[in-house]
Amino acid sequence: MIIASVKSFYTHSLIAIMEAMRNIKLPFVLLAVLLIGCASVTSQMKMGKYEEIVSAYGEAIVWANYEAASLYMKDGGAGNAPPDFEMLKNIKVASYDVKHVKVSDDKTQVTQIVEIQYYRKNQLIISSIRDKQLWEFDPTQKNWVLMTGLPRFK
């Protein structure tokens, strides 16, 4: 009888401990799921912002608004040759076609290859270039910036 009651006591204690551990684990599991979910939402928001910025940049290039396009460059293009806006006044873009996009694993860099067909207003001959763009997410600005310069029209 004593052995049975000791065994019963240990069984009930073990069950109580397991239930307590299950109750303690649940908040940690929920916290982990919440953190993973937040990271995913943050990543999705970052990529959504990328789409918005790159689209606006592409429109600025197509509409020959090179001053506006240069605002997307990091520090106004520091490290790159400053844009020759006078020369760019003569360039008209006929098409701007994104050919390839590669996103880094941490979703803080995007390399984008764009084929641009353009002409000079005084020549009316269609030329084509492939513009390799490197975009980086700037955590201080919470925005994407163009690390490469404006397209190098020949």
Side-chain angles (χ1 to χ4, degrees), residues 50-51 53-55 57-58 96-103 109-115 130-135 146 148:
Y50 166 77
E51 291 294 330
I53 293 292
V54 169
S55 177
Y57 173 80
Y96 183 94
D97 190 20
V98 176
K99 294 294 185 182
H100 178 75
V101 176
K102 183 179 180 197
V103 181
Q109 284 190 341
V110 177
T111 302
Q112 176 171 281
I113 309 278
V114 180
E115 186 175 297
R130 289 179 77 81
D131 185 34
K132 184 176 181 180
Q133 303 168 357
L134 175 62
W135 292 86
L146 179 61
T148 50

PDB file of all heavy atoms in Angstrom, residues 50-51 53-55 57-58 96-103 109-115 130-135 146 148:
ATOM      1  N   TYR A  50      11.392  48.175 -52.199  1.00  0.00           N
ATOM      2  CA  TYR A  50      12.324  48.062 -53.328  1.00  0.00           C
ATOM      3  C   TYR A  50      11.558  48.209 -54.647  1.00  0.00           C
ATOM      4  O   TYR A  50      11.963  48.967 -55.530  1.00  0.00           O
ATOM      5  CB  TYR A  50      13.068  46.724 -53.277  1.00  0.00           C
ATOM      6  CG  TYR A  50      13.773  46.398 -54.571  1.00  0.00           C
ATOM      7  CD1 TYR A  50      14.971  47.013 -54.901  1.00  0.00           C
ATOM      8  CD2 TYR A  50      13.214  45.506 -55.479  1.00  0.00           C
ATOM      9  CE1 TYR A  50      15.601  46.739 -56.101  1.00  0.00           C
ATOM     10  CE2 TYR A  50      13.844  45.227 -56.677  1.00  0.00           C
ATOM     11  CZ  TYR A  50      15.030  45.842 -56.978  1.00  0.00           C
ATOM     12  OH  TYR A  50      15.644  45.578 -58.181  1.00  0.00           O
ATOM     13  N   GLU A  51      10.470  47.469 -54.778  1.00  0.00           N
ATOM     14  CA  GLU A  51       9.675  47.533 -56.011  1.00  0.00           C
ATOM     15  C   GLU A  51       9.205  48.957 -56.285  1.00  0.00           C
ATOM     16  O   GLU A  51       9.244  49.429 -57.428  1.00  0.00           O
ATOM     17  CB  GLU A  51       8.475  46.576 -55.930  1.00  0.00           C
ATOM     18  CG  GLU A  51       8.838  45.114 -55.945  1.00  0.00           C
ATOM     19  CD  GLU A  51       9.450  44.668 -57.259  1.00  0.00           C
ATOM     20  OE1 GLU A  51       9.117  45.245 -58.314  1.00  0.00           O
ATOM     21  OE2 GLU A  51      10.274  43.742 -57.228  1.00  0.00           O
ATOM     22  N   ILE A  53      10.560  51.845 -55.207  1.00  0.00           N
ATOM     23  CA  ILE A  53      11.692  52.721 -55.517  1.00  0.00           C
ATOM     24  C   ILE A  53      12.211  52.459 -56.929  1.00  0.00           C
ATOM     25  O   ILE A  53      12.447  53.392 -57.709  1.00  0.00           O
ATOM     26  CB  ILE A  53      12.830  52.521 -54.480  1.00  0.00           C
ATOM     27  CG1 ILE A  53      12.394  53.014 -53.102  1.00  0.00           C
ATOM     28  CG2 ILE A  53      14.126  53.179 -54.927  1.00  0.00           C
ATOM     29  CD1 ILE A  53      12.198  54.496 -52.992  1.00  0.00           C
ATOM     30  N   VAL A  54      12.403  51.194 -57.274  1.00  0.00           N
ATOM     31  CA  VAL A  54      12.951  50.850 -58.587  1.00  0.00           C
ATOM     32  C   VAL A  54      11.985  51.253 -59.698  1.00  0.00           C
ATOM     33  O   VAL A  54      12.408  51.707 -60.764  1.00  0.00           O
ATOM     34  CB  VAL A  54      13.307  49.346 -58.637  1.00  0.00           C
ATOM     35  CG1 VAL A  54      13.613  48.887 -60.036  1.00  0.00           C
ATOM     36  CG2 VAL A  54      14.492  49.081 -57.738  1.00  0.00           C
ATOM     37  N   SER A  55      10.709  51.109 -59.450  1.00  0.00           N
ATOM     38  CA  SER A  55       9.716  51.523 -60.435  1.00  0.00           C
ATOM     39  C   SER A  55       9.775  53.038 -60.666  1.00  0.00           C
ATOM     40  O   SER A  55       9.764  53.500 -61.815  1.00  0.00           O
ATOM     41  CB  SER A  55       8.321  51.109 -59.963  1.00  0.00           C
ATOM     42  OG  SER A  55       7.341  51.558 -60.865  1.00  0.00           O
ATOM     43  N   TYR A  57      12.332  55.000 -60.094  1.00  0.00           N
ATOM     44  CA  TYR A  57      13.614  55.285 -60.748  1.00  0.00           C
ATOM     45  C   TYR A  57      13.513  55.009 -62.250  1.00  0.00           C
ATOM     46  O   TYR A  57      13.937  55.820 -63.072  1.00  0.00           O
ATOM     47  CB  TYR A  57      14.723  54.439 -60.113  1.00  0.00           C
ATOM     48  CG  TYR A  57      16.046  54.536 -60.838  1.00  0.00           C
ATOM     49  CD1 TYR A  57      16.888  55.614 -60.629  1.00  0.00           C
ATOM     50  CD2 TYR A  57      16.440  53.541 -61.737  1.00  0.00           C
ATOM     51  CE1 TYR A  57      18.109  55.702 -61.298  1.00  0.00           C
ATOM     52  CE2 TYR A  57      17.655  53.632 -62.400  1.00  0.00           C
ATOM     53  CZ  TYR A  57      18.481  54.712 -62.184  1.00  0.00           C
ATOM     54  OH  TYR A  57      19.675  54.795 -62.853  1.00  0.00           O
ATOM     55  N   GLY A  58      12.946  53.858 -62.610  1.00  0.00           N
ATOM     56  CA  GLY A  58      12.785  53.503 -64.019  1.00  0.00           C
ATOM     57  C   GLY A  58      11.937  54.520 -64.763  1.00  0.00           C
ATOM     58  O   GLY A  58      12.256  54.903 -65.900  1.00  0.00           O
ATOM     59  N   TYR A  96      12.877  50.599 -71.554  1.00  0.00           N
ATOM     60  CA  TYR A  96      13.600  50.288 -70.308  1.00  0.00           C
ATOM     61  C   TYR A  96      13.064  48.943 -69.858  1.00  0.00           C
ATOM     62  O   TYR A  96      11.929  48.840 -69.400  1.00  0.00           O
ATOM     63  CB  TYR A  96      13.294  51.389 -69.282  1.00  0.00           C
ATOM     64  CG  TYR A  96      14.013  51.271 -67.953  1.00  0.00           C
ATOM     65  CD1 TYR A  96      15.213  51.927 -67.743  1.00  0.00           C
ATOM     66  CD2 TYR A  96      13.464  50.551 -66.898  1.00  0.00           C
ATOM     67  CE1 TYR A  96      15.860  51.863 -66.522  1.00  0.00           C
ATOM     68  CE2 TYR A  96      14.114  50.476 -65.676  1.00  0.00           C
ATOM     69  CZ  TYR A  96      15.306  51.135 -65.498  1.00  0.00           C
ATOM     70  OH  TYR A  96      15.947  51.074 -64.288  1.00  0.00           O
ATOM     71  N   ASP A  97      13.859  47.902 -70.060  1.00  0.00           N
ATOM     72  CA  ASP A  97      13.373  46.545 -69.854  1.00  0.00           C
ATOM     73  C   ASP A  97      14.261  45.802 -68.850  1.00  0.00           C
ATOM     74  O   ASP A  97      15.434  45.545 -69.124  1.00  0.00           O
ATOM     75  CB  ASP A  97      13.363  45.811 -71.197  1.00  0.00           C
ATOM     76  CG  ASP A  97      12.650  44.475 -71.147  1.00  0.00           C
ATOM     77  OD1 ASP A  97      11.850  44.248 -70.221  1.00  0.00           O
ATOM     78  OD2 ASP A  97      12.906  43.650 -72.033  1.00  0.00           O
ATOM     79  N   VAL A  98      13.687  45.459 -67.701  1.00  0.00           N
ATOM     80  CA  VAL A  98      14.424  44.712 -66.683  1.00  0.00           C
ATOM     81  C   VAL A  98      14.604  43.283 -67.178  1.00  0.00           C
ATOM     82  O   VAL A  98      13.629  42.592 -67.472  1.00  0.00           O
ATOM     83  CB  VAL A  98      13.684  44.733 -65.324  1.00  0.00           C
ATOM     84  CG1 VAL A  98      14.415  43.879 -64.302  1.00  0.00           C
ATOM     85  CG2 VAL A  98      13.514  46.159 -64.827  1.00  0.00           C
ATOM     86  N   LYS A  99      15.863  42.851 -67.260  1.00  0.00           N
ATOM     87  CA  LYS A  99      16.172  41.522 -67.780  1.00  0.00           C
ATOM     88  C   LYS A  99      16.470  40.505 -66.686  1.00  0.00           C
ATOM     89  O   LYS A  99      16.207  39.318 -66.851  1.00  0.00           O
ATOM     90  CB  LYS A  99      17.384  41.591 -68.729  1.00  0.00           C
ATOM     91  CG  LYS A  99      17.128  42.373 -69.986  1.00  0.00           C
ATOM     92  CD  LYS A  99      16.103  41.666 -70.828  1.00  0.00           C
ATOM     93  CE  LYS A  99      15.899  42.338 -72.158  1.00  0.00           C
ATOM     94  NZ  LYS A  99      14.876  41.694 -72.955  1.00  0.00           N
ATOM     95  N   HIS A 100      17.054  40.956 -65.580  1.00  0.00           N
ATOM     96  CA  HIS A 100      17.471  40.020 -64.535  1.00  0.00           C
ATOM     97  C   HIS A 100      17.495  40.740 -63.194  1.00  0.00           C
ATOM     98  O   HIS A 100      17.951  41.880 -63.111  1.00  0.00           O
ATOM     99  CB  HIS A 100      18.861  39.462 -64.859  1.00  0.00           C
ATOM    100  CG  HIS A 100      19.395  38.525 -63.822  1.00  0.00           C
ATOM    101  ND1 HIS A 100      18.931  37.240 -63.678  1.00  0.00           N
ATOM    102  CD2 HIS A 100      20.327  38.693 -62.860  1.00  0.00           C
ATOM    103  CE1 HIS A 100      19.577  36.656 -62.677  1.00  0.00           C
ATOM    104  NE2 HIS A 100      20.435  37.522 -62.165  1.00  0.00           N
ATOM    105  N   VAL A 101      17.016  40.054 -62.164  1.00  0.00           N
ATOM    106  CA  VAL A 101      17.052  40.582 -60.801  1.00  0.00           C
ATOM    107  C   VAL A 101      17.571  39.484 -59.892  1.00  0.00           C
ATOM    108  O   VAL A 101      17.066  38.355 -59.931  1.00  0.00           O
ATOM    109  CB  VAL A 101      15.645  41.030 -60.323  1.00  0.00           C
ATOM    110  CG1 VAL A 101      15.684  41.483 -58.883  1.00  0.00           C
ATOM    111  CG2 VAL A 101      15.098  42.131 -61.220  1.00  0.00           C
ATOM    112  N   LYS A 102      18.588  39.807 -59.095  1.00  0.00           N
ATOM    113  CA  LYS A 102      19.125  38.850 -58.133  1.00  0.00           C
ATOM    114  C   LYS A 102      19.132  39.517 -56.756  1.00  0.00           C
ATOM    115  O   LYS A 102      19.766  40.550 -56.557  1.00  0.00           O
ATOM    116  CB  LYS A 102      20.540  38.407 -58.509  1.00  0.00           C
ATOM    117  CG  LYS A 102      21.091  37.366 -57.561  1.00  0.00           C
ATOM    118  CD  LYS A 102      22.473  36.926 -57.944  1.00  0.00           C
ATOM    119  CE  LYS A 102      22.928  35.891 -56.922  1.00  0.00           C
ATOM    120  NZ  LYS A 102      24.358  35.692 -56.960  1.00  0.00           N
ATOM    121  N   VAL A 103      18.435  38.879 -55.822  1.00  0.00           N
ATOM    122  CA  VAL A 103      18.315  39.398 -54.455  1.00  0.00           C
ATOM    123  C   VAL A 103      19.250  38.611 -53.549  1.00  0.00           C
ATOM    124  O   VAL A 103      19.283  37.380 -53.610  1.00  0.00           O
ATOM    125  CB  VAL A 103      16.855  39.267 -53.960  1.00  0.00           C
ATOM    126  CG1 VAL A 103      16.701  39.819 -52.548  1.00  0.00           C
ATOM    127  CG2 VAL A 103      15.892  39.948 -54.917  1.00  0.00           C
ATOM    128  N   GLN A 109      20.619  43.593 -50.558  1.00  0.00           N
ATOM    129  CA  GLN A 109      21.222  43.997 -51.829  1.00  0.00           C
ATOM    130  C   GLN A 109      20.464  43.354 -52.977  1.00  0.00           C
ATOM    131  O   GLN A 109      20.049  42.198 -52.882  1.00  0.00           O
ATOM    132  CB  GLN A 109      22.681  43.555 -51.930  1.00  0.00           C
ATOM    133  CG  GLN A 109      23.645  44.362 -51.142  1.00  0.00           C
ATOM    134  CD  GLN A 109      25.085  44.001 -51.506  1.00  0.00           C
ATOM    135  OE1 GLN A 109      25.362  42.949 -52.062  1.00  0.00           O
ATOM    136  NE2 GLN A 109      25.996  44.894 -51.191  1.00  0.00           N
ATOM    137  N   VAL A 110      20.319  44.133 -54.031  1.00  0.00           N
ATOM    138  CA  VAL A 110      19.699  43.613 -55.245  1.00  0.00           C
ATOM    139  C   VAL A 110      20.544  44.058 -56.429  1.00  0.00           C
ATOM    140  O   VAL A 110      20.879  45.235 -56.549  1.00  0.00           O
ATOM    141  CB  VAL A 110      18.247  44.125 -55.416  1.00  0.00           C
ATOM    142  CG1 VAL A 110      17.662  43.622 -56.729  1.00  0.00           C
ATOM    143  CG2 VAL A 110      17.381  43.717 -54.249  1.00  0.00           C
ATOM    144  N   THR A 111      20.899  43.107 -57.272  1.00  0.00           N
ATOM    145  CA  THR A 111      21.567  43.415 -58.531  1.00  0.00           C
ATOM    146  C   THR A 111      20.524  43.272 -59.618  1.00  0.00           C
ATOM    147  O   THR A 111      19.825  42.260 -59.682  1.00  0.00           O
ATOM    148  CB  THR A 111      22.737  42.446 -58.788  1.00  0.00           C
ATOM    149  OG1 THR A 111      23.645  42.539 -57.690  1.00  0.00           O
ATOM    150  CG2 THR A 111      23.450  42.789 -60.076  1.00  0.00           C
ATOM    151  N   GLN A 112      20.427  44.308 -60.425  1.00  0.00           N
ATOM    152  CA  GLN A 112      19.413  44.321 -61.473  1.00  0.00           C
ATOM    153  C   GLN A 112      20.076  44.672 -62.794  1.00  0.00           C
ATOM    154  O   GLN A 112      20.866  45.603 -62.863  1.00  0.00           O
ATOM    155  CB  GLN A 112      18.351  45.365 -61.106  1.00  0.00           C
ATOM    156  CG  GLN A 112      17.286  45.551 -62.152  1.00  0.00           C
ATOM    157  CD  GLN A 112      16.161  46.426 -61.645  1.00  0.00           C
ATOM    158  OE1 GLN A 112      15.324  45.950 -60.911  1.00  0.00           O
ATOM    159  NE2 GLN A 112      16.138  47.677 -62.040  1.00  0.00           N
ATOM    160  N   ILE A 113      19.771  43.907 -63.817  1.00  0.00           N
ATOM    161  CA  ILE A 113      20.274  44.175 -65.167  1.00  0.00           C
ATOM    162  C   ILE A 113      19.096  44.709 -65.991  1.00  0.00           C
ATOM    163  O   ILE A 113      18.043  44.076 -66.048  1.00  0.00           O
ATOM    164  CB  ILE A 113      20.826  42.907 -65.846  1.00  0.00           C
ATOM    165  CG1 ILE A 113      21.826  42.188 -64.952  1.00  0.00           C
ATOM    166  CG2 ILE A 113      21.364  43.229 -67.233  1.00  0.00           C
ATOM    167  CD1 ILE A 113      23.207  42.700 -64.956  1.00  0.00           C
ATOM    168  N   VAL A 114      19.313  45.869 -66.592  1.00  0.00           N
ATOM    169  CA  VAL A 114      18.268  46.514 -67.390  1.00  0.00           C
ATOM    170  C   VAL A 114      18.802  46.775 -68.794  1.00  0.00           C
ATOM    171  O   VAL A 114      19.935  47.236 -68.950  1.00  0.00           O
ATOM    172  CB  VAL A 114      17.840  47.860 -66.753  1.00  0.00           C
ATOM    173  CG1 VAL A 114      16.757  48.530 -67.577  1.00  0.00           C
ATOM    174  CG2 VAL A 114      17.367  47.655 -65.322  1.00  0.00           C
ATOM    175  N   GLU A 115      17.995  46.431 -69.782  1.00  0.00           N
ATOM    176  CA  GLU A 115      18.346  46.783 -71.157  1.00  0.00           C
ATOM    177  C   GLU A 115      17.614  48.075 -71.499  1.00  0.00           C
ATOM    178  O   GLU A 115      16.386  48.160 -71.359  1.00  0.00           O
ATOM    179  CB  GLU A 115      17.939  45.679 -72.127  1.00  0.00           C
ATOM    180  CG  GLU A 115      18.415  45.952 -73.542  1.00  0.00           C
ATOM    181  CD  GLU A 115      18.111  44.804 -74.472  1.00  0.00           C
ATOM    182  OE1 GLU A 115      18.654  43.712 -74.242  1.00  0.00           O
ATOM    183  OE2 GLU A 115      17.325  45.029 -75.414  1.00  0.00           O
ATOM    184  N   ARG A 130      23.230  47.759 -71.704  1.00  0.00           N
ATOM    185  CA  ARG A 130      22.797  46.955 -70.556  1.00  0.00           C
ATOM    186  C   ARG A 130      23.336  47.649 -69.318  1.00  0.00           C
ATOM    187  O   ARG A 130      24.542  47.801 -69.166  1.00  0.00           O
ATOM    188  CB  ARG A 130      23.303  45.523 -70.665  1.00  0.00           C
ATOM    189  CG  ARG A 130      22.591  44.749 -71.767  1.00  0.00           C
ATOM    190  CD  ARG A 130      23.085  43.330 -71.903  1.00  0.00           C
ATOM    191  NE  ARG A 130      22.598  42.407 -70.902  1.00  0.00           N
ATOM    192  CZ  ARG A 130      21.401  41.806 -70.917  1.00  0.00           C
ATOM    193  NH1 ARG A 130      20.557  42.075 -71.889  1.00  0.00           N
ATOM    194  NH2 ARG A 130      21.059  40.954 -69.998  1.00  0.00           N
ATOM    195  N   ASP A 131      22.441  48.075 -68.470  1.00  0.00           N
ATOM    196  CA  ASP A 131      22.811  48.811 -67.265  1.00  0.00           C
ATOM    197  C   ASP A 131      22.758  47.862 -66.074  1.00  0.00           C
ATOM    198  O   ASP A 131      21.682  47.343 -65.741  1.00  0.00           O
ATOM    199  CB  ASP A 131      21.841  49.988 -67.067  1.00  0.00           C
ATOM    200  CG  ASP A 131      22.220  50.879 -65.906  1.00  0.00           C
ATOM    201  OD1 ASP A 131      23.426  51.045 -65.645  1.00  0.00           O
ATOM    202  OD2 ASP A 131      21.302  51.414 -65.266  1.00  0.00           O
ATOM    203  N   LYS A 132      23.915  47.615 -65.450  1.00  0.00           N
ATOM    204  CA  LYS A 132      23.965  46.763 -64.259  1.00  0.00           C
ATOM    205  C   LYS A 132      23.850  47.678 -63.037  1.00  0.00           C
ATOM    206  O   LYS A 132      24.725  48.506 -62.792  1.00  0.00           O
ATOM    207  CB  LYS A 132      25.265  45.965 -64.213  1.00  0.00           C
ATOM    208  CG  LYS A 132      25.318  45.005 -63.043  1.00  0.00           C
ATOM    209  CD  LYS A 132      26.572  44.154 -63.081  1.00  0.00           C
ATOM    210  CE  LYS A 132      26.584  43.183 -61.920  1.00  0.00           C
ATOM    211  NZ  LYS A 132      27.790  42.343 -61.932  1.00  0.00           N
ATOM    212  N   GLN A 133      22.766  47.511 -62.307  1.00  0.00           N
ATOM    213  CA  GLN A 133      22.486  48.353 -61.151  1.00  0.00           C
ATOM    214  C   GLN A 133      22.661  47.554 -59.864  1.00  0.00           C
ATOM    215  O   GLN A 133      22.220  46.410 -59.780  1.00  0.00           O
ATOM    216  CB  GLN A 133      21.040  48.881 -61.205  1.00  0.00           C
ATOM    217  CG  GLN A 133      20.725  49.642 -62.467  1.00  0.00           C
ATOM    218  CD  GLN A 133      19.236  49.884 -62.629  1.00  0.00           C
ATOM    219  OE1 GLN A 133      18.413  49.446 -61.837  1.00  0.00           O
ATOM    220  NE2 GLN A 133      18.881  50.588 -63.698  1.00  0.00           N
ATOM    221  N   LEU A 134      23.286  48.174 -58.887  1.00  0.00           N
ATOM    222  CA  LEU A 134      23.388  47.584 -57.557  1.00  0.00           C
ATOM    223  C   LEU A 134      22.606  48.471 -56.604  1.00  0.00           C
ATOM    224  O   LEU A 134      22.922  49.651 -56.431  1.00  0.00           O
ATOM    225  CB  LEU A 134      24.847  47.467 -57.096  1.00  0.00           C
ATOM    226  CG  LEU A 134      25.039  46.978 -55.654  1.00  0.00           C
ATOM    227  CD1 LEU A 134      24.475  45.564 -55.482  1.00  0.00           C
ATOM    228  CD2 LEU A 134      26.500  47.023 -55.255  1.00  0.00           C
ATOM    229  N   TRP A 135      21.577  47.891 -56.015  1.00  0.00           N
ATOM    230  CA  TRP A 135      20.744  48.588 -55.043  1.00  0.00           C
ATOM    231  C   TRP A 135      21.018  48.004 -53.665  1.00  0.00           C
ATOM    232  O   TRP A 135      21.127  46.790 -53.517  1.00  0.00           O
ATOM    233  CB  TRP A 135      19.263  48.406 -55.389  1.00  0.00           C
ATOM    234  CG  TRP A 135      18.855  49.093 -56.651  1.00  0.00           C
ATOM    235  CD1 TRP A 135      18.950  48.604 -57.918  1.00  0.00           C
ATOM    236  CD2 TRP A 135      18.296  50.396 -56.765  1.00  0.00           C
ATOM    237  NE1 TRP A 135      18.477  49.527 -58.816  1.00  0.00           N
ATOM    238  CE2 TRP A 135      18.062  50.633 -58.130  1.00  0.00           C
ATOM    239  CE3 TRP A 135      17.952  51.392 -55.847  1.00  0.00           C
ATOM    240  CZ2 TRP A 135      17.513  51.826 -58.602  1.00  0.00           C
ATOM    241  CZ3 TRP A 135      17.402  52.575 -56.315  1.00  0.00           C
ATOM    242  CH2 TRP A 135      17.193  52.781 -57.679  1.00  0.00           C
ATOM    243  N   LEU A 146      20.691  53.524 -54.844  1.00  0.00           N
ATOM    244  CA  LEU A 146      21.426  53.022 -55.994  1.00  0.00           C
ATOM    245  C   LEU A 146      22.914  53.251 -55.760  1.00  0.00           C
ATOM    246  O   LEU A 146      23.349  54.393 -55.581  1.00  0.00           O
ATOM    247  CB  LEU A 146      20.968  53.745 -57.266  1.00  0.00           C
ATOM    248  CG  LEU A 146      21.642  53.355 -58.574  1.00  0.00           C
ATOM    249  CD1 LEU A 146      21.394  51.886 -58.890  1.00  0.00           C
ATOM    250  CD2 LEU A 146      21.127  54.232 -59.700  1.00  0.00           C
ATOM    251  N   THR A 148      25.341  52.203 -57.872  1.00  0.00           N
ATOM    252  CA  THR A 148      25.972  52.522 -59.157  1.00  0.00           C
ATOM    253  C   THR A 148      25.375  53.833 -59.644  1.00  0.00           C
ATOM    254  O   THR A 148      24.353  54.284 -59.137  1.00  0.00           O
ATOM    255  CB  THR A 148      25.713  51.389 -60.158  1.00  0.00           C
ATOM    256  OG1 THR A 148      24.301  51.101 -60.161  1.00  0.00           O
ATOM    257  CG2 THR A 148      26.467  50.139 -59.773  1.00  0.00           C
TER     258      THR A 148
END
